[in-house]
Amino acid sequence: MEIGSLLKGKTALVTGAASGIGKGHVEVFARAGAQVVAADIQEDQGKAVVDAVNAAGGDAQFVRLDVTRMADWKAAVAFAVSAYGQLTTLVNNAGIYHPGGVEDETEDGWNRMVAVNQTAVWYGMKAAMPELLKTGNAAIVNISSLYGLIGSPGSLSYHATKAAVRLMSKSAALEYVKRGVRVNSVHPGQIRTPILGNLTAELDAQIKAAIPMGDMGRPEDIAYGSLYLCSDLAAYVTGVELPIDGGWSAA
Ligand SMILES: NC(=O)c1ccc[n+]([C@@H]2O[C@H](COP(=O)([O-])OP(=O)(O)OC[C@H]3O[C@@H](n4cnc5c(N)ncnc54)[C@H](O)[C@@H]3O)[C@@H](O)[C@H]2O)c1
């Protein structure tokens, strides 16, 4: 698909960029003409992602960023601005998952889930906002989940954080609606990435059977949604939640 200039002139910071959906964003955004700062705690994998993107003619740089550390955020935003002179676009994608219901989630597990999946999304918006505001035409996409829209048994802490991201996005959208920063959330269904762990053939088949389209999505399926929301095609779009889930949320 020809997407060559949709993000021309944009500079995007993508978190969780070393793997899965974040890696998909780096690749798709670079193909669409954006300068991309790829951020992650996995340095070797993150550098390999930007090396491949640059070898294919893109323009990406890696920065180490632990999204739970505000000092890292400040340094990553400063890095983006020193490398490219601006920051127009933020994709808060880094996230973790572990199962844990009401009784079997631990305090440490809960706190870690909230730190990475929820508090870090606020940190990212807070750290990037001064630079985004300077551009007068900026966009944030926060990667939530289908599990931020519906419940399921046994993943209470994950649902809590992803549901929070949904309303954090809408609240920020309204806070900045007249100041040139649009904020939207994207809600992936089941996407084949390392976060799913090693699925048995039986579980794999069960997941597919639950999806109306009959298969899991690919990282780029999510990145194409963010591409639209971060491009000027979506100039009138803010505060929306976009499920990308093979029809799951419609069922
Ligand atoms: N794969 C799915 O089915 C699915 C479904 C719904 C939502 N999501 C969401 O999509 C996002 C990406 O998930 P994925 O499937 O690509 O998983 P993944 O495990 O492949 O990638 C997650 C990335 O986040 C990074 N990360 C984790 N903690 C970090 C931290 N503290 N600081 C910086 N980076 C950190 C990891 O190093 C990894 O590179 C997550 O927010 C996840 O909750 C995924």
Side-chain angles (χ1 to χ4, degrees), residues 15-22 39-42 65-68 93-96 112 116-117 143-146 158 162 187-196:
T15 69
S19 172
I21 293 170
D40 206 293
I41 44 177
Q42 298 194 72
L65 163 63
D66 179 340
V67 294
T68 66
N93 163 78
I96 55 171
R112 183 72 191 151
V116 178
N117 288 6
I143 303 296
S144 173
S145 172
L146 178 62
Y158 187 76
K162 292 299 183 178
H187 300 256
Q190 292 280 8
I191 311 302
R192 203 175 285 284
T193 75
I195 210 173
L196 299 182

Side-chain angles (χ1 to χ4, degrees), residues 26 40 59 66 71 82 92 96 99 121 155 191 208 217 220 232 236:
V26 178
D40 206 293
D59 186 354
D66 179 340
S82 76
N92 274 312
I96 55 171
V121 172
S155 295
I191 311 302
K208 285 189 199 166
E220 56 266 40
D232 293 341
Y236 197 53

